C-alpha cells in the first residue's frame, strides 16, 4: 500500500528523531552526539550535505522555554519554593532537558530536509525508492 507524502514525512522524521537513517530506518544517523554520519552504514544514503545549522537548537529553546517558564512562574506565584531553590532546580533541569532533546531534534530536522529534498538532498530517492 502506497503511503501518502505526509505519512512518509512523519515516518522519516520519526526515524531521524530516534537517531536512525530516515531512508531505511536501520542505520545510525549520528556518528557522535551531534555529528551526523556522512552516509548510512546500511543503505548508503548520504547525509554529509545536510544543513540543519541552528534550527534544532532554536526548536529546543522554544520547547524547553514553553515548558519551564510557565512552571517557574507558577511555582514562584504559589510560593512553593524559595527563589534560590527554584534556580537550583530549574537550571540543571533546563540544561539537562535541552541536551536530551538536542540530538533527536537535529535528527528530525535532517530527516525533514532529506524528505523535502532540501540543499544537497535534491537528487535523492524517497522512502520507497521513487524520485523526490
Ligand atoms: Zn539507511
Amino acid at each position: 500500500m502506497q503511503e501518502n507524502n505526509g505519512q512518509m514525512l512523519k515516518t522519516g522524521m520519526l526515524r531521524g528523531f530516534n537517531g536512525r537513517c530516515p531512508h531505511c530506518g536501520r542505520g545510525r544517523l549520528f556518528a557522535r552526539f551531534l555529528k551526523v554520519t556522512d552516509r548510512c552504514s546500511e543503505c548508503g544514503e548520504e547525509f554529509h550535505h545536510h544543513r540543519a545549522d541552528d534550527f534544532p537548537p532554536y526548536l529546543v529553546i522554544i520547547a524547553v522555554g514553553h515548558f519551564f517558564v510557565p512552571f517557574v512562574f507558577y511555582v514562584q506565584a504559589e510560593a512553593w519554593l524559595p527563589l534560590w531553590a527554584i534556580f537550583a532546580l530549574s537550571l540543571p533541569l533546563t540544561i539537562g532537558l535541552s541536551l536530551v532533546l538536542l540530538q533527536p531534534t537535529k535528527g528530525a530536522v535532517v530527516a525533514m530536509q532529506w524528505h523535502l529534498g532540501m540543499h544537497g538532498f535534491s537528487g535523492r530517492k524517497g522512502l520507497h525508492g521513487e524520485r523526490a
Side-chain angles (χ1 to χ4, degrees):
M1 189 168 118
Q2 181 75 18
E3 292 178 283
N4 65 31
N5 200 34
Q7 183 63 37
M8 289 170 41
L9 174 62
K10 183 179 167 186
T11 300
M13 287 183 71
L14 189 60
R15 289 174 177 173
F17 189 85
N18 289 323
R20 295 294 169 192
C21 168
H23 184 243
C24 68
R26 296 184 312 268
R28 300 181 66 84
L29 185 57
F30 291 96
R32 293 191 305 266
F33 178 56
L34 291 176
K35 170 71 176 153
V36 175
T37 187
D38 286 343
R39 69 178 57 236
C40 175
S41 61
E42 298 293 321
C43 69
E45 185 72 29
E46 294 182 350
F47 299 109
H48 60 85
H49 38 52
H50 79 87
R51 293 290 177 267
D53 298 332
D54 295 337
F55 191 47
Y58 288 144
L59 293 176
V60 169
I61 289 168
I62 290 169
V64 172
H66 276 85
F67 176 75
F68 273 104
V69 170
F71 172 74
V72 168
F73 283 154
Y74 180 73
V75 169
Q76 190 174 9
E78 296 295 322
W80 287 353
L81 296 171
L83 195 56
W84 67 266
I86 293 171
F87 282 121
L89 286 174
S90 62
L91 189 60
L93 285 174
T94 301
I95 292 171
L97 188 60
S98 297
L99 290 174
V100 166
L101 287 175
L102 201 50
Q103 188 190 55
T105 304
K106 184 170 183 175
V109 167
V110 170
M112 179 193 69
Q113 292 178 343
W114 171 83
H115 177 82
L116 297 175
M118 298 170 72
H119 311 297
F121 293 118
S122 59
R124 64 126 180 116
K125 303 272 187 179
L127 270 180
H128 301 289
E130 71 279 6
R131 303 255 340 142

